[in-house]
Amino acid sequence: GLTRMILDARPLDKAMHVLKESVIEEVKAKIIDDRIEVYVASKHIPLVIKSMVNAGVDIYEYQKSIKSLEDQFIELTGGNEIA
């Protein structure tokens, strides 16, 4: 499965560019509240961070969380309503 990371990285536009140009398949990213939410396989996290630092992006904070079974269920079923 994919791991969810929250990054406080500056500049945001450069960080997003690095993610979009990444050679890593299956990396998803979006900006939420001046932070970047990234979904990527756990084994690729070091490469993501190295790529950003090598491109001149400063990383001030990093948080990692694995999707819970409940989150995966909601994604698969399209919601959490009981029919």
Side-chain angles (χ1 to χ4, degrees), residues 66-73:
I66 298 170
K67 285 187 187 180
S68 69
L69 287 176
E70 181 181 2
D71 291 338
Q72 291 178 27
F73 175 79

Side-chain angles (χ1 to χ4, degrees), residues 4-53:
R4 177 178 176 254
M5 299 189 317
I6 303 293
L7 294 172
D8 182 2
R10 299 287 182 268
L12 279 173
D13 58 338
K14 187 182 273 191
M16 288 298 290
H17 178 75
V18 170
L19 290 168
K20 287 178 185 175
E21 299 297 317
S22 175
V23 297
I24 302 169
E25 294 177 24
E26 221 182 311
V27 60
K28 299 173 187 170
K30 62 184 173 182
I31 296 174
I32 299 177
D33 298 328
D34 289 333
R35 296 182 191 280
I36 301 174
E37 180 180 62
V38 182
Y39 288 91
V40 67
S42 289
K43 67 181 180 181
H44 295 306
I45 291 172
L47 181 58
V48 167
I49 292 173
K50 278 183 198 173
S51 297
M52 287 189 179
V53 171

